[in-house]
Amino acid sequence: MARIALVDTSVATEREKTIYHRFPANLVAGLLRTTPDIADGYLALGAALSSSPLAPRIREMVILRVGVLCGSSYEWMQHADIATSVGVGQDELAAIQSGEFSTLTEGERAVLRFVDDMVAQPKAGTAAFDGAVAVLGEQGAATVSLLTGFYMMTARFLETLEIDLDAAPTSWENA
């Protein structure tokens, strides 16, 4: 049970209901306990990151790895099926969970080492950064950096407030 009462959408304001229905999940019901502007801005950034030029397969691997490293079962629940739908197989999911990346491509290993470095410390080391840039280019490395930070923030919000898992994953289609 969440540490705070989630916004009850049956008695929410029209604006809160509109925001909630963009991504109808306990995460958003929790975000609405801040302000509608914060919840709306969070969803806008999440949607922008989701539609970035970053390959969907890499995006989902990054999100799942951040979820693992931050102990967020919510992030895993919301993104495992998405990852599968963009070509991440069961062996790759297991590698993301375990941190044993030998079954991944060299590029995927470089990206996930970059993520591991950023989660472990505020500034990724030179080798991890250079490896990510070699695979993704500067735009991709910058995007992965922001994506990692966004999902670290999300994990901290979810875990600190003990936001309950949803009954099923929610789609970003309306965000």
Side-chain angles (χ1 to χ4, degrees):
M1 181 169 189
R3 289 174 133 175
I4 63 170
L6 304 181
V7 167
D8 179 352
T9 57
S10 68
V11 294
T13 68
E14 286 306 311
R15 182 160 185 235
E16 288 171 333
K17 288 178 185 177
T18 298
I19 292 167
Y20 177 80
H21 288 293
R22 286 176 60 196
F23 190 78
N26 288 339
L27 167 61
V28 179
L31 286 167
L32 285 167
R33 289 301 310 267
T34 59
T35 70
D37 286 342
I38 291 171
D40 194 41
Y42 172 93
L43 290 176
L45 180 55
L49 287 167
S50 182
S51 64
S52 77
L54 197 62
R57 177 181 164 84
I58 291 294
R59 179 194 68 227
E60 294 305 317
M61 291 175 90
V62 167
I63 294 167
L64 290 174
R65 187 63 184 154
V66 171
V68 167
L69 293 172
C70 293
S72 179
S73 56
Y74 194 102
E75 288 179 352
W76 189 273
M77 181 274 300
Q78 285 288 354
H79 286 272
D81 288 346
I82 298 169
T84 301
S85 76
V86 296
V88 178
Q90 293 304 309
D91 289 345
E92 294 153 326
L93 291 174
I96 292 165
Q97 283 184 314
S98 71
E100 172 46 54
F101 302 145
S102 62
T103 59
L104 304 177
T105 68
E106 184 177 329
E108 292 164 347
R109 288 192 303 268
V111 170
L112 294 182
R113 281 192 297 266
F114 181 50
V115 170
D116 283 6
D117 248 27
M118 285 188 288
V119 172
Q121 55 201 5
K123 179 180 178 181
T126 301
F129 176 77
D130 290 347
V133 171
V135 172
L136 302 168
E138 290 181 354
Q139 180 187 46
T143 302
V144 167
S145 179
L146 191 57
L147 183 67
T148 298
F150 179 82
Y151 279 93
M152 287 173 66
M153 172 187 68
T154 302
R156 280 150 177 77
F157 180 82
L158 290 164
E159 294 306 310
T160 297
L161 300 180
E162 298 179 1
I163 303 294
D164 300 316
L165 294 177
D166 296 296
T170 304
S171 172
W172 271 105
E173 289 177 4
N174 299 322

